[in-house]
Structure formats: C-alpha cells, structure tokens
Amino acid sequence: MNKEKLVVYWSRRDFRLADNPALFHAIEKSHSEKAYFLPIFVLDEGLLGDDVWNIGYPRRFFLSHALSKFSKEYELFGIFKGSPESVFNQLLKQFDLTIYANHDVEEFSRKRDQKIANLIGADKFFSFRDQLTVSKEVVSGGGEIYSVFSPFRNNVIQQFLDAKATPTPTLTHLKYPPLNLLNDKINQHILDTSNLKANEIQKNIFSIIDKPWKIKVGDDYNFNLDNIFERPTYSDWYSTEEEVRYHFRDFVNTKIKQYKQNRNSLGADTSGEGATSRMSVALKWGLISVRSMKDIIVELAGDPQQEGVFSYISELIWREFYRYILYHNPSVLDTEFQKRFQHGEIKWVDDQTARFRFEKWIKGETGYEVVDAAMHQIAKTGWMHNRARMIVASVLTKNLGVDWRWGQEYFRAVLLDLDEASNNGGWQWAASVGADTKPIRIFNPYLQQENYDKNGDYRRHWLPADYNIKTPIVDHKQAREEALKRYGLGGVKPRDY
Ligand SMILES: Cc1cc2nc3c(=O)[nH]c(=O)nc-3n(C[C@H](O)[C@H](O)[C@H](O)COP(=O)(O)OP(=O)(O)OC[C@H]3O[C@@H](n4cnc5c(N)ncnc54)[C@H](O)[C@@H]3O)c2cc1C
C-alpha cells in the first residue's frame, strides 16, 4: 500500500513564524508535494528528567509558557510526548515521512538529529542554519579556527550584516493529517490540545515537567534548590513573537544609540527599564531570530557604524563566536578551552571548602555586596545583567577558588536564557581558561561596584532588607594572591579589574 506523504516541521527552540527557515521550507514542500503538513514539538521526558542537562525549573516554566502560547496562537503544534525516535518511528510506519528542522551547534543536538536522519533516511531530513548565522567554516588567514574574538568579528561582520531573513510563511491552505487517521500508537504520544486554552496546555505540559529543582555539581554533590528559594513565576517576561518584536523595536528606537555608554551600568538595570535589550531570553527560545533583529536595527537605527549600534551588533557577534567555538570544540562544556589548563593544572579549593563557599555564593551571602545582590537577582528573576554575571563568575572562581564548572551548572539550573554556548563561553572567559588573550583577569568586587553601581541603586534594589553581612567570607587581597598561585602565576602582578 502506498503511504501518504507527510511533511513534518520539527520545532525545538524556534517558536516563531518570521525568519524560520525550517518552517518556511516545510510548508513550501507540503504545498508542492500536496502532502500532509504536521508541525510538532517533542516533549522528551527522558531529556527533561532529573539528570540529563539539568533543565532547571525556570526553563521548564518558560518552555511550557512559550510553547503553549505559540501552539494556541497559531494553532500550530502537535505536542508529542516521548523520545524523538519513538515518535518518528511511529509516524514512519504510517507515512512517507520528510522532516524539516533548524539545526543547533551543540553536540548533543547534532547527534540527536543524526540519529533521526539515519532512521528516516538522510535525503528525507532537511536541516537549516539558524542558531549560528555566520558560516561555521570561517578560518583565520593562517587557516586556523579562530580563538580570539576581534579578528573573528572583523572576518564575519559583513557576512552577518548581509544575512537574509527567510520570508514569513502564510498558514492558509495547509492540509493537516486528521488526528483520527493517526494510528493508536501515535495517538498515545499526542497531547490533544484542540479543546484546551493556552493556560490549560501550559498546566498540562507543566505537570509533566514539574520535577524537583535540583542541582548536581562535582562528583556527588546534589542539592535541592527548592529548599533554598521560592519558585518565581517570571510574569514580567514576554512570551510571544509579537511582544518580543514590539519590545525590541522600542529598545532600538530609544536606547541602542546610547548602548555603548550605558550597557555596563548596573544602576540603570534597576529602574525596571535597563540599558540593555533583554533579548537573550527571546533568542534562547527562538521567539525572534538574530537576522530579524539585525534587520530591525538597520531599519530603525540606520548606520551600523554608529557607536552604540556597532557595540550592540558586536555583542550579537559574541553570541555567534561562542557558538562557533562550541561547534568546533564540543569538549569545552567540561574541559578548559586553553590547552595549558586541560589536565587539572588549576588546584581548586578542597571539596568541603568549595561546598561551603558555593552555597554561600548561591544564597547571596558572600559578604561582597554586589555579588550578593546579583545572586538575589538571578534567583528571583531567572536573569542577571552581563556585568554582574562577569563579577559573580570571577568571584566564584578567583576569590572563592571554586571550579568554574560548578558555576556553569548553577547557571544552567537557574537561567531562563540558558544557552550552552554563551554560558560556557562566559564562564570560561571569567575563569580565565577560555578564549581570551590575557593570562588572567581578577575582578575586584569593590572596584566593580564603585565603577558600575556608584550610587548603590543595584545593591539596594536586590539585597534583602535585612542584609547585614559586614565581612566577606574571604578577603579580596588575600584571595587574589591565592588565585595567582592557583593559576601558576605567582609573582605576576596583573591589574585589578
Ligand atoms: C558567566 C556568564 C554566563 C552567561 N550565560 C549566558 C547564557 O546562558 N545565555 C545567554 O544568552 N548569554 C549568557 N551570557 C552573556 C550575557 O551575559 C547575556 O547574553 C546578556 O546579559 C543578556 O542580556 P541582554 O539580552 O540584555 O544583553 P544585551 O547587552 O542587550 O546584548 C544583546 C544580545 O547580545 C548577546 N550577548 C550580549 N553579551 C554577550 C556575551 N558576553 N556573550 C554572548 N552573547 C552576548 C545576547 O544574545 C544578548 O541578548 C553569559 C555571560 C557570562 C559572563
């Protein structure tokens, strides 16, 4: 018997219609082949389990929020429960199946896609460049993979500015497979959202993913964040494509030209407005593409060379850079990027000391006010200002002597915008083991708060009213000397940042 043709758009973290190459091409294909069209999201319970990737509560929450809104707004999703293999295996039994997806740079995602391509046939699996806009094949004049940001940016910036967005598809005349046609085994996987409202879909998804908010660091150190924090509901965040575009256009109209001067101001961040765009959450979940952002910038702000605009575009290229690094060096998620540190050369503090200090750091009880304020910000909002991320990461690794992998893991558990490439790049940079030409940078938390939170607005805003820690758990000067020894740089006198 001839099987009916089915074109699947498999969404992972691209909850948008605009500039969504996989969605656009899947729809084109379904029209040209007169095939059924089925957009799906696979809620992989294995992946959402307690240990794999440690998908913390904030991301579970945002995923359920954004996914339910997207699926309801566009009536555009079959939400399937189960592993991708099991879902596609079942569809394959019934249909002549073609899959369209946007690819990612993480090794885990690439392997998952390869498995599915093997299952259905490589000529039936189409994957599109999305998360990384510039070519991952760019190399330096000497033919090497870049390991320093500025030359990378200089090489790719024109490519980035020239990148074209894919047209937005129209959702009319789509031929969805009637659900009652799907066989029982497939039906078991489907969350039937047809009669549910968005918040009911969210609850339904959330009940599946509402597991304890746990973290595991080192070899065997486990603890439950539910014992430390109340779970926030992140109600201030945008969660639809339209809200994101509105928000970003407003940022470009009103703030991008002053971005360079203001982007580091922690004080500005507390006004509720902030001087940065807060687009990282939207980018993480694919509520907008970076190409659409670039087009909006060019449309509204004009000259990409204007100081603020250039500075903002450079940050978007940092994001590209870290994706490029992760693509070419998948081991960086666990191992130092710099070769000189890849064999345990840095002797972090002993386990017991590390556990004590790490918990103090998480709870915002280090006694460095700016660090403690930032740690309260992340726990309450699922987001932290970039300057604060750099400070808390430097303090954890340099002052407290705790392995950067622990910090990376904590951010995985609490960030709404968790992005493996940028998170890893940020942690490795702050720990002075990543893509940086300086042998070491030691942030002085007092200097940082003086420079970036002069009036104390940020600290007043985020520190609890009864905060009263007078002495930090480690003295900065002493910690600095120890850090230099730990990094094998005793006798070197780098400046304090
Ligand atoms: C230790 C550490 C961990 C980090 N973890 C993450 C993470 O998990 N996810 C994440 O998106 N970013 C991460 N960053 C980068 C940066 O802190 C955030 O992207 C930024 O704070 C998001 O706020 P925004 O959207 O207002 O940024 P803006 O200043 O408005 O910048 C615009 C966009 O440019 C990109 N960008 C800005 N700064 C950086 C940077 N340093 N590296 C890479 N991309 C950048 C982001 O996509 C951001 O949304 C981390 C940085 C550090 C130091």
Side-chain angles (χ1 to χ4, degrees):
M1 186 183 84
N2 265 354
K3 289 182 186 168
E4 300 249 34
K5 287 184 182 163
L6 175 69
V7 177
V8 163
Y9 156 58
W10 180 17
S11 174
R12 281 83 73 94
R13 52 169 174 143
D14 38 18
F15 302 141
R16 63 175 190 273
L17 298 189
D19 189 28
N20 184 333
L23 175 63
F24 177 81
H25 291 290
I27 289 179
E28 292 275 286
K29 176 86 170 175
S30 75
H31 285 316
S32 67
E33 301 264 314
K34 297 192 174 36
Y36 282 125
F37 172 67
L38 182 64
I40 77 173
F41 182 88
V42 182
L43 197 58
D44 187 344
E45 287 167 292
L47 187 65
L48 292 165
D50 286 347
D51 293 326
V52 191
W53 286 101
N54 197 354
I55 298 183
Y57 157 74
R59 277 182 293 148
R60 293 167 192 225
F61 181 91
F62 202 89
L63 169 67
S64 65
H65 197 43
L67 177 59
S68 51
K69 282 210 176 174
F70 188 67
S71 60
K72 210 62 207 170
E73 201 166 302
Y74 300 115
E75 293 183 359
L76 194 73
F77 263 131
I79 299 172
F80 283 66
K81 294 182 256 172
S83 72
E85 286 102 312
S86 61
V87 170
F88 292 126
N89 238 324
Q90 291 305 329
L91 287 172
L92 201 54
K93 285 189 185 142
Q94 197 171 347
F95 295 99
D96 174 3
L97 183 64
T98 315
I99 299 177
Y100 284 70
N102 292 315
H103 72 198
D104 210 338
V105 294
E106 291 158 21
E107 194 179 37
F108 162 81
S109 319
R110 286 154 55 195
K111 283 189 175 156
R112 174 197 56 199
D113 289 357
Q114 190 55 54
K115 255 195 207 163
I116 301 301
N118 293 344
L119 177 76
I120 71 164
D123 57 338
K124 296 277 191 177
F125 186 89
F126 296 90
S127 130
F128 296 82
R129 192 193 296 176
D130 181 36
Q131 287 289 329
L132 178 74
T133 288
V134 305
S135 162
K136 51 189 186 312
E137 313 305 341
V138 289
V139 283
S140 69
E144 315 253 298
I145 297 297
Y146 284 103
S147 57
V148 180
F149 173 69
S150 301
F152 172 83
R153 180 192 57 201
N154 298 343
N155 184 326
V156 302
I157 190 160
Q158 201 53 47
Q159 233 190 78
F160 183 80
L161 292 171
D162 291 343
K164 296 265 176 295
T166 313
T168 305
T170 45
L171 301 179
T172 47
H173 308 300
L174 293 168
K175 203 169 78 161
Y176 294 110
L179 289 191
N180 59 5
L181 257 197
L182 301 180
N183 72 34
D184 278 354
K185 284 244 166 75
I186 303 176
N187 270 320
Q188 282 168 15
H189 286 291
I190 298 181
L191 177 70
D192 185 358
T193 56
S194 48
N195 292 316
L196 297 176
K197 298 199 174 84
N199 63 345
E200 290 164 344
I201 302 176
Q202 188 191 356
K203 266 197 209 130
N204 207 312
I205 302 171
F206 205 55
S207 66
I208 303 164
I209 60 182
D210 187 21
K211 302 228 170 98
W213 190 9
K214 285 204 295 198
I215 165 165
K216 177 170 184 255
V217 288
D219 293 334
D220 61 350
Y221 181 31
N222 258 298
F223 63 96
N224 198 335
L225 293 173
D226 284 317
N227 297 336
I228 302 184
F229 308 123
E230 295 249 322
R231 294 185 170 198
T233 53
Y234 314 108
S235 49
D236 293 348
W237 286 95
Y238 42 64
S239 55
T240 66
E241 186 170 11
E242 197 189 345
E243 286 164 2
V244 166
R245 286 181 162 259
Y246 180 83
H247 167 85
F248 188 59
R249 291 180 82 86
D250 184 54
F251 168 80
V252 175
N253 276 326
T254 58
K255 294 187 192 139
I256 202 169
K257 295 216 165 116
Q258 289 76 43
Y259 177 75
K260 186 164 196 273
Q261 297 97 289
N262 297 341
R263 60 181 287 263
N264 278 307
S265 166
L266 289 172
D269 192 49
T270 53
S271 62
E273 291 271 298
T276 67
S277 67
R278 297 195 174 217
M279 288 299 286
S280 53
V281 176
L283 282 167
K284 194 253 143 46
W285 297 102
L287 296 167
I288 193 166
S289 78
V290 83
R291 295 165 297 280
S292 295
M293 284 170 65
K294 181 262 300 175
D295 288 346
I296 291 173
I297 296 171
V298 173
E299 178 201 332
L300 300 179
D303 183 9
Q305 293 306 323
Q306 191 276 336
E307 196 180 59
V309 177
F310 185 77
S311 167
Y312 190 82
I313 289 175
S314 288
E315 293 307 322
L316 294 178
I317 297 179
W318 266 107
R319 178 177 172 276
E320 300 279 318
F321 180 56
Y322 285 143
R323 296 187 137 55
Y324 168 87
I325 297 241
L326 180 57
Y327 175 81
H328 288 289
N329 308 276
S331 64
V332 289
L333 291 179
D334 300 313
T335 310
E336 287 75 5
F337 177 75
Q338 291 185 28
K339 285 200 174 59
R340 64 186 173 130
F341 294 127
Q342 282 173 352
H343 301 285
E345 285 80 356
I346 302 175
K347 300 286 170 240
W348 306 106
V349 291
D350 66 77
D351 234 41
Q352 206 185 345
T353 312
R355 289 178 185 204
F356 173 78
R357 291 181 177 180
F358 185 59
E359 283 198 36
K360 289 274 177 208
W361 178 80
I362 285 179
K363 291 179 181 164
E365 294 174 359
T366 65
Y368 296 120
E369 288 186 2
V370 69
V371 171
D372 294 345
M375 298 309 289
H376 283 283
Q377 179 180 31
I378 201 172
K380 291 196 177 104
T381 67
W383 186 86
M384 190 194 279
H385 188 280
N386 180 58
R387 170 61 44 185
R389 292 188 207 207
M390 293 196 292
I391 301 171
V392 301
S394 175
V395 164
L396 182 73
T397 51
K398 312 286 172 43
N399 293 44
L400 307 186
V402 175
D403 192 330
W404 60 270
R405 280 160 279 248
W406 291 34
Q408 172 178 262
E409 200 58 39
Y410 179 66
F411 273 27
R412 272 187 184 143
V414 290
L415 279 176
L416 285 175
D417 66 15
L418 188 275
D419 177 283
E420 288 296 339
S422 297
N423 192 41
N424 178 262
W427 272 100
Q428 293 235 15
W429 185 92
S432 300
V433 297
D436 189 9
T437 47
K438 292 255 185 315
I440 193 164
R441 292 177 203 255
I442 301 183
F443 277 36
N444 176 334
Y446 302 104
L447 204 57
Q448 289 287 322
Q449 67 190 30
E450 175 61 23
N451 287 341
Y452 302 111
D453 185 32
K454 200 171 180 51
N455 301 326
D457 294 341
Y458 182 77
R459 281 165 283 160
R460 260 190 307 280
H461 188 83
W462 291 113
L463 287 174
D466 59 356
Y467 181 89
N468 188 25
I469 309 177
K470 301 280 182 238
T471 318
I473 52 174
V474 288
D475 169 71
H476 174 67
K477 259 195 180 159
Q478 196 185 331
R480 185 187 142 85
E481 293 313 310
E482 283 170 18
L484 288 171
K485 282 193 213 128
R486 195 173 298 122
Y487 280 72
L489 295 168
V492 177
K493 298 223 172 307
R495 74 175 174 94
D496 252 3
Y497 284 85

